[in-house]
PDB file of all heavy atoms in Angstrom:
ATOM      1  N   ARG A  86      -5.205 -20.720  -2.802  1.00  0.00           N
ATOM      2  CA  ARG A  86      -5.348 -21.547  -4.008  1.00  0.00           C
ATOM      3  C   ARG A  86      -4.896 -20.771  -5.241  1.00  0.00           C
ATOM      4  O   ARG A  86      -4.223 -21.295  -6.116  1.00  0.00           O
ATOM      5  CB  ARG A  86      -6.809 -22.000  -4.182  1.00  0.00           C
ATOM      6  CG  ARG A  86      -7.151 -23.239  -3.367  1.00  0.00           C
ATOM      7  CD  ARG A  86      -8.432 -23.905  -3.881  1.00  0.00           C
ATOM      8  NE  ARG A  86      -9.596 -23.039  -3.798  1.00  0.00           N
ATOM      9  CZ  ARG A  86     -10.300 -22.827  -2.679  1.00  0.00           C
ATOM     10  NH1 ARG A  86      -9.965 -23.429  -1.557  1.00  0.00           N
ATOM     11  NH2 ARG A  86     -11.339 -22.019  -2.692  1.00  0.00           N
ATOM     12  N   PHE A  87      -5.263 -19.502  -5.271  1.00  0.00           N
ATOM     13  CA  PHE A  87      -4.870 -18.658  -6.402  1.00  0.00           C
ATOM     14  C   PHE A  87      -3.343 -18.479  -6.423  1.00  0.00           C
ATOM     15  O   PHE A  87      -2.693 -18.642  -7.451  1.00  0.00           O
ATOM     16  CB  PHE A  87      -5.581 -17.306  -6.298  1.00  0.00           C
ATOM     17  CG  PHE A  87      -5.570 -16.542  -7.580  1.00  0.00           C
ATOM     18  CD1 PHE A  87      -6.473 -16.837  -8.585  1.00  0.00           C
ATOM     19  CD2 PHE A  87      -4.641 -15.538  -7.790  1.00  0.00           C
ATOM     20  CE1 PHE A  87      -6.456 -16.151  -9.782  1.00  0.00           C
ATOM     21  CE2 PHE A  87      -4.618 -14.840  -8.990  1.00  0.00           C
ATOM     22  CZ  PHE A  87      -5.528 -15.144  -9.983  1.00  0.00           C
ATOM     23  N   ALA A  88      -2.789 -18.177  -5.253  1.00  0.00           N
ATOM     24  CA  ALA A  88      -1.340 -17.951  -5.157  1.00  0.00           C
ATOM     25  C   ALA A  88      -0.567 -19.195  -5.599  1.00  0.00           C
ATOM     26  O   ALA A  88       0.467 -19.092  -6.271  1.00  0.00           O
ATOM     27  CB  ALA A  88      -0.964 -17.593  -3.724  1.00  0.00           C
ATOM     28  N   LEU A  89      -1.082 -20.367  -5.237  1.00  0.00           N
ATOM     29  CA  LEU A  89      -0.355 -21.605  -5.518  1.00  0.00           C
ATOM     30  C   LEU A  89      -0.285 -21.907  -7.006  1.00  0.00           C
ATOM     31  O   LEU A  89       0.569 -22.667  -7.454  1.00  0.00           O
ATOM     32  CB  LEU A  89      -1.006 -22.776  -4.769  1.00  0.00           C
ATOM     33  CG  LEU A  89      -0.745 -22.751  -3.255  1.00  0.00           C
ATOM     34  CD1 LEU A  89      -1.605 -23.782  -2.547  1.00  0.00           C
ATOM     35  CD2 LEU A  89       0.732 -22.976  -2.956  1.00  0.00           C
ATOM     36  N   ALA A  90      -1.188 -21.305  -7.781  1.00  0.00           N
ATOM     37  CA  ALA A  90      -1.227 -21.610  -9.215  1.00  0.00           C
ATOM     38  C   ALA A  90      -0.331 -20.685 -10.050  1.00  0.00           C
ATOM     39  O   ALA A  90      -0.081 -20.963 -11.222  1.00  0.00           O
ATOM     40  CB  ALA A  90      -2.672 -21.500  -9.716  1.00  0.00           C
ATOM     41  N   MET A  91       0.156 -19.611  -9.466  1.00  0.00           N
ATOM     42  CA  MET A  91       0.778 -18.574 -10.303  1.00  0.00           C
ATOM     43  C   MET A  91       2.248 -18.844 -10.626  1.00  0.00           C
ATOM     44  O   MET A  91       3.038 -19.190  -9.749  1.00  0.00           O
ATOM     45  CB  MET A  91       0.657 -17.200  -9.623  1.00  0.00           C
ATOM     46  CG  MET A  91      -0.782 -16.729  -9.548  1.00  0.00           C
ATOM     47  SD  MET A  91      -0.922 -15.105  -8.754  1.00  0.00           S
ATOM     48  CE  MET A  91      -0.708 -14.017 -10.163  1.00  0.00           C
ATOM     49  N   THR A  92       2.593 -18.629 -11.887  1.00  0.00           N
ATOM     50  CA  THR A  92       3.993 -18.717 -12.318  1.00  0.00           C
ATOM     51  C   THR A  92       4.626 -17.322 -12.209  1.00  0.00           C
ATOM     52  O   THR A  92       3.905 -16.323 -12.088  1.00  0.00           O
ATOM     53  CB  THR A  92       4.081 -19.157 -13.789  1.00  0.00           C
ATOM     54  OG1 THR A  92       3.493 -18.102 -14.582  1.00  0.00           O
ATOM     55  CG2 THR A  92       3.328 -20.462 -14.026  1.00  0.00           C
ATOM     56  N   ASP A  95       3.005 -15.074 -14.636  1.00  0.00           N
ATOM     57  CA  ASP A  95       1.683 -14.612 -14.184  1.00  0.00           C
ATOM     58  C   ASP A  95       1.832 -13.443 -13.213  1.00  0.00           C
ATOM     59  O   ASP A  95       1.104 -12.447 -13.295  1.00  0.00           O
ATOM     60  CB  ASP A  95       0.929 -15.743 -13.470  1.00  0.00           C
ATOM     61  CG  ASP A  95       0.579 -16.911 -14.385  1.00  0.00           C
ATOM     62  OD1 ASP A  95       0.429 -16.685 -15.605  1.00  0.00           O
ATOM     63  OD2 ASP A  95       0.453 -18.037 -13.872  1.00  0.00           O
ATOM     64  N   ARG A 125       6.026 -23.526  -7.184  1.00  0.00           N
ATOM     65  CA  ARG A 125       4.697 -24.020  -6.794  1.00  0.00           C
ATOM     66  C   ARG A 125       4.741 -25.170  -5.803  1.00  0.00           C
ATOM     67  O   ARG A 125       3.821 -25.336  -5.006  1.00  0.00           O
ATOM     68  CB  ARG A 125       3.906 -24.392  -8.054  1.00  0.00           C
ATOM     69  CG  ARG A 125       3.613 -23.128  -8.867  1.00  0.00           C
ATOM     70  CD  ARG A 125       3.107 -23.419 -10.253  1.00  0.00           C
ATOM     71  NE  ARG A 125       1.871 -24.175 -10.195  1.00  0.00           N
ATOM     72  CZ  ARG A 125       1.203 -24.570 -11.283  1.00  0.00           C
ATOM     73  NH1 ARG A 125       1.675 -24.285 -12.488  1.00  0.00           N
ATOM     74  NH2 ARG A 125       0.090 -25.249 -11.153  1.00  0.00           N
ATOM     75  N   LEU A 450      -5.537 -18.891 -15.372  1.00  0.00           N
ATOM     76  CA  LEU A 450      -5.567 -19.219 -13.939  1.00  0.00           C
ATOM     77  C   LEU A 450      -6.968 -19.587 -13.454  1.00  0.00           C
ATOM     78  O   LEU A 450      -7.107 -20.390 -12.538  1.00  0.00           O
ATOM     79  CB  LEU A 450      -5.037 -18.018 -13.126  1.00  0.00           C
ATOM     80  CG  LEU A 450      -3.527 -17.803 -13.218  1.00  0.00           C
ATOM     81  CD1 LEU A 450      -3.136 -16.418 -12.698  1.00  0.00           C
ATOM     82  CD2 LEU A 450      -2.766 -18.886 -12.450  1.00  0.00           C
TER      83      LEU A 450
END
Side-chain angles (χ1 to χ4, degrees):
R86 276 198 299 280
F87 197 80
L89 287 170
M91 293 180 88
T92 65
D95 295 333
R125 294 168 60 180
L450 287 165

